[in-house]
Amino acid sequence: LVVFIVTAPMLTNSIPINLPKTEVVAPPDTKDPLVVSIDGSGKLFIGQDEIQPDLLESNLQAAKAADAELRVQLQADDQVDYGVVARAMAAIERAGITKLAVITAR
């Protein structure tokens, strides 16, 4: 077993391969995600702009129409009622957004 553990990594590196040389390619520009925030009192924000909860879905649908690859980050104060966060997440889903990150503190 010890011999196998020592020799196995060498077997995977024993095939000589000349990889092709290429120019360095910059990664595609990634747009910043749209940030949806919920503060400690339950107020909703898109970016820095406060919005009414019933307008969240329509605003996100408009943003999704403008950018099919829209990514959303949801951040909520830890004092916010779970129901408020769940309603926001449901609005994000109904708006057709599939790329959602929920931001937490470490």
Side-chain angles (χ1 to χ4, degrees):
L1 181 60
V2 173
V3 172
F4 178 77
I5 292 172
V6 172
T7 59
M10 288 187 247
L11 295 174
T12 60
N13 296 329
S14 64
I15 302 172
I17 297 177
N18 292 322
L19 296 174
K21 307 254 186 293
T22 61
E23 296 290 324
V24 175
V25 178
D29 289 336
T30 56
K31 298 177 185 173
D32 290 335
L34 184 66
V35 178
V36 175
S37 304
I38 307 172
D39 71 5
S41 62
K43 294 180 185 174
L44 278 169
F45 297 84
I46 293 181
Q48 300 295 321
D49 303 321
E50 183 179 353
I51 63 163
Q52 296 301 314
D54 56 338
L55 297 177
L56 178 61
E57 184 178 343
S58 61
N59 282 326
L60 292 176
Q61 286 172 340
K64 175 77 172 172
D67 179 9
E69 296 296 315
L70 181 66
R71 296 178 301 129
V72 172
Q73 286 184 347
L74 176 62
Q75 55 188 16
D77 190 277
D78 63 356
Q79 300 301 311
V80 174
D81 181 59
Y82 176 75
V84 175
V85 177
R87 285 189 290 278
M89 291 177 75
I92 292 167
E93 182 181 9
R94 285 192 307 271
I97 295 168
T98 58
K99 297 177 182 176
L100 171 65
V102 179
I103 306 301
T104 61
R106 286 186 160 182

